[in-house]
Amino acid sequence: MKILERAEYASKPKPLTCDPKTSVRDAALLMAERNYGSIIAVDSEMNLLGMMTERDIFQRVVAMSLDPTVTTVNEVMTKNVRTAKEDDDLLDWLRIMSNERFRRLPIVNDEGKLVAVMSQGDFVSYTWPDLLENATTLAKATFQNSLSAPMILGGVLLYTIILIVAVGLTT
């Protein structure tokens, strides 16, 4: 499924953006005011220049004892940000984000202009119902023909007896 095909994608709020010369303090106030975990530094044409996250603030400002009123977003933002396109595969990006351990993915259009930001949580919440439905369908297809109700009940009964014996042995 493509990112654009999710109904929820259309309702995503506009990304929180700032000029890279914005002070970290001012950017953090915007983030706090709107309850965002990141802010995207863009130029006047909405070209993505970098991203500053809460983690960047903690690690690159607070931990380094920098003054957030004079330190700019440009000085602490991540500059080589991974971006996706609206027609990219949603599950591919969920896998990439999980493997590479980042949580926010800017979405850009064909001209490279910022249009949205998806979080790993967005992807999981959007795909969770689909994954459950697929698992249910697969389980039905796998077990429906090979297992009967008495066999399933027998398995549950055997499992229960094993648990009772195991608990009895440990006490």
Side-chain angles (χ1 to χ4, degrees), residues 22 34 36-37 57 101 110 129 139 144-145 166-168:
T22 304
R34 299 196 187 156
Y36 277 59
I57 296 169
R101 304 188 55 82
D110 289 334
Q144 191 168 12
N145 296 330
V167 170

Side-chain angles (χ1 to χ4, degrees), residues 3-64:
I3 294 170
L4 183 61
E5 293 172 343
R6 291 303 303 197
E8 300 90 343
Y9 178 73
S11 66
K12 288 289 294 178
K14 289 187 177 195
L16 183 60
T17 62
C18 71
D19 184 283
K21 295 175 188 168
T22 304
S23 73
V24 170
R25 180 183 184 280
D26 289 344
L29 287 172
L30 281 172
M31 291 166 63
E33 178 184 299
R34 299 196 187 156
N35 197 27
Y36 277 59
S38 66
I39 191 163
I40 310 293
V42 295
D43 63 17
S44 61
E45 297 177 7
M46 291 301 285
N47 292 306
L48 187 142
L49 303 173
M51 177 188 304
M52 183 179 74
T53 66
E54 295 163 324
R55 180 174 282 178
D56 293 328
I57 296 169
F58 293 138
Q59 292 179 343
R60 298 176 184 165
V61 179
V62 175
M64 303 305 285

Side-chain angles (χ1 to χ4, degrees), residues 79-160:
K79 293 184 172 114
N80 296 321
V81 178
R82 299 283 304 261
T83 61
K85 301 258 178 110
E86 295 174 322
D87 60 351
D88 287 351
D89 185 79
L90 186 131
L91 290 178
D92 286 347
W93 274 109
L94 179 58
R95 209 172 290 113
I96 291 167
M97 292 170 76
S98 180
N99 289 339
E100 295 184 17
R101 304 188 55 82
F102 62 95
R103 293 183 279 173
R104 292 172 183 86
L105 180 67
I107 311 299
V108 297
N109 64 19
D110 289 334
E111 293 79 40
K113 310 294 184 201
L114 180 67
V115 293
V117 176
M118 301 290 284
S119 71
Q120 196 172 40
D122 293 332
F123 284 129
V124 171
S125 69
Y126 294 170
T127 57
W128 187 247
D130 292 337
L131 294 174
L132 285 177
E133 183 178 326
N134 290 343
T136 302
T137 302
L138 181 61
K140 285 180 182 176
T142 303
F143 298 117
Q144 191 168 12
N145 296 330
S146 62
L147 296 177
S148 64
M151 287 181 70
I152 293 171
L153 289 175
V156 170
L157 180 60
L158 179 62
Y159 178 74
T160 304

